[in-house]
Amino acid sequence: MIVKVRNTIPSVENDHVFLLQCLRILNVSQQTSYDNSIESFEYHSYKPYVTSFNKNDEIRIPINQQDLYVLPSLSSLYIDGKVNVYNSTTKEKVSNVHFVNNPVLFLFRDIRYELNGVEIDQIKIAGVTTTIKSYLSLNENNENKSKCTRVWGWSTGGTSNTSGGAFSTSIPLKNILAFAEDYEKNIINCKHELVLLRSNTNLNAIKLNTSEVVEDIIINEIVWRVPHIKVSERERISLLKHLEKDRDIPLAFRSWDLYEYPLLPKTRKHTWSIKTSSQIEKPRFVVIALQTNRKHNAKLSMAEFDHCHVRDVKVFVNSSYYPYEGLNVSFSEDKFILLYGQYARFQQSYHGRQLEPLMGLKEFRDVVPLFVIDCSRQHETLKGSIDVRVEIETDQEIPDQTTAYCLILNDCIFEYKPLSNIVKKIS
């Protein structure tokens, strides 16, 4: 009997993994080590000075004690409240209230973070900004699994509340501010303040049936839960030496800047001059999203977007333009695979992860048709101010009451001196 042996050629990657396993297996003399540099990790709750959170109110949550080691990237915002909805026909209170996706952040206009009294990060139109960013960054297989995201109200189809409209959420700060997402180090010897500006309307947070009317959305409590770190004596001495030298400590992150065009003209081609920025604030990604008659309209979800028959979007950074070739999208003929590919590749380019987008092809078309333009690779010779403009081209005239949003993800660098309490932006 002849036995045939199939020759296999192991890949370089498999060889590398096998060698690492062999090294671990054979290293019998390796000593056990423990990391005791952090002695305790405790959450502390901070509340605002005011106890009422009405429309247009500014809500400040301070951390005034300076001799602390705090970790904002792992902090969270706890919000408790109640929605009062009644039936205009029967005049009875509605017990089953339907929230849109990411509803609580639609209750706030702006959210910003201040360090030693200097604003280092801010998002505008908090609900729209965080919704677009979460559609881009979330997936089903990383730490932001669907069961966890429901804690802060994230559900792409919205949420039906059967408890009479009472709600409570705990939202990680890294899902609200770019600074908390990117800067994962502790901050020493600084005053912190989280500032929230309440929106002037409640209609964007809920979705009503024909006969339903929202009476009010009441926020009962807002708590900022921040980790405090207690370090070992050795680490404390090392940090104190750094503090005494008062050297600049860099704070680098990628900011989320949202720009709004309230009413697009009824045309098939429109040019939008977005902004002029410095050399440091280079745009890395530009995301265009459109909505038709959704703002302040509780009959439609503010957390969803419309394609408006857009055929092509081109972003100009000074004289350079992105993408190099036109997209030639056709939503009526289901020809938008190139657009979906740009959306799917965002996580790989921005987060360095595998391609695992949150939305499938059909969901992308119906719920979140975002135009994600990657302009992260730019000429080093680009000097001086940077002008950003967008050209939008459609197959049909843009409908009435259409709002355009442009989310730009920029480089942003601050520095702070822990002893002299100086915070400055690098420009």
Side-chain angles (χ1 to χ4, degrees), residues 290-295 297 300 304-306 308 398-403:
L290 304 178
Q291 286 184 333
T292 299
N293 196 28
R294 293 183 180 272
K295 187 189 299 184
N297 181 8
L300 298 174
E304 298 179 6
F305 300 90
D306 305 292
C308 298
I398 296 175
D400 288 330
Q401 304 298 317
T402 296
T403 302

Side-chain angles (χ1 to χ4, degrees), residues 192-299:
H192 305 255
E193 194 161 27
L194 187 63
V195 185
L196 303 94
L197 179 61
R198 189 80 154 77
S199 178
N200 59 2
T201 180
N202 295 318
L203 295 176
N204 295 328
I206 58 176
K207 189 176 180 181
L208 303 176
N209 293 325
T210 304
S211 59
E212 293 178 348
V213 178
V214 59
E215 182 179 5
D216 197 9
I217 298 181
I218 301 170
I219 297 178
N220 297 320
E221 187 179 21
I222 299 178
V223 178
W224 184 21
R225 301 189 69 246
V226 184
H228 287 200
I229 298 173
K230 184 179 180 181
V231 299
S232 64
E233 191 67 20
R234 179 179 178 181
E235 294 296 329
R236 190 179 70 84
I237 293 173
S238 176
L239 289 172
L240 284 175
K241 289 180 179 179
H242 198 103
L243 179 66
E244 290 173 355
K245 294 177 181 178
D246 203 24
R247 292 175 178 172
D248 288 327
I249 299 177
L251 299 172
F253 58 96
R254 295 163 293 186
S255 63
W256 312 338
D257 295 336
L258 186 73
Y259 298 86
E260 179 186 16
Y261 201 112
L263 289 175
L264 285 175
K266 294 183 65 176
T267 180
R268 291 194 177 190
K269 191 171 184 179
H270 180 69
T271 301
W272 180 11
S273 296
I274 305 292
K275 63 176 292 189
T276 299
S277 62
S278 65
Q279 172 70 14
I280 298 297
E281 295 180 339
K282 283 186 177 180
R284 297 304 181 181
F285 286 87
V286 178
V287 184
I288 303 297
L290 304 178
Q291 286 184 333
T292 299
N293 196 28
R294 293 183 180 272
K295 187 189 299 184
H296 310 329
N297 181 8
K299 306 303 178 184

Side-chain angles (χ1 to χ4, degrees), residues 9 12 37 49 53 58 69 98-99 119 123 179 190 201 210 222 246 258 321 327 346 362 380 383 405 420:
I9 303 176
V12 174
S37 56
Y49 293 123
F53 315 108
E58 185 179 75
Y69 302 145
H98 188 80
F99 289 97
E119 179 187 305
I123 59 168
F179 165 71
C190 286
T201 180
T210 304
I222 299 178
D246 203 24
L258 186 73
Y321 59 89
L327 297 172
F346 174 85
K362 185 179 183 301
E380 290 297 328
K383 299 295 182 181
Y405 297 101
S420 55

Side-chain angles (χ1 to χ4, degrees), residues 288-290 305-313 327-340 342-343 361-372 392-396:
I288 303 297
L290 304 178
F305 300 90
D306 305 292
H307 57 72
C308 298
H309 298 283
V310 174
R311 187 172 70 87
D312 199 10
V313 169
L327 297 172
N328 293 321
V329 176
S330 177
F331 287 97
S332 59
E333 299 178 6
D334 284 348
K335 295 180 179 179
F336 53 91
I337 191 67
L338 293 179
L339 182 64
Y340 180 77
Q342 289 183 330
Y343 160 75
L361 194 61
K362 185 179 183 301
E363 292 175 306
F364 174 78
R365 179 195 64 192
D366 297 339
V367 178
V368 54
L370 300 176
F371 291 79
V372 183
I392 302 173
E393 191 173 346
T394 63
D395 288 329
Q396 303 176 14

Side-chain angles (χ1 to χ4, degrees), residues 1-7:
M1 183 176 67
I2 300 175
V3 179
K4 293 183 178 180
V5 179
R6 184 173 57 187
N7 293 325

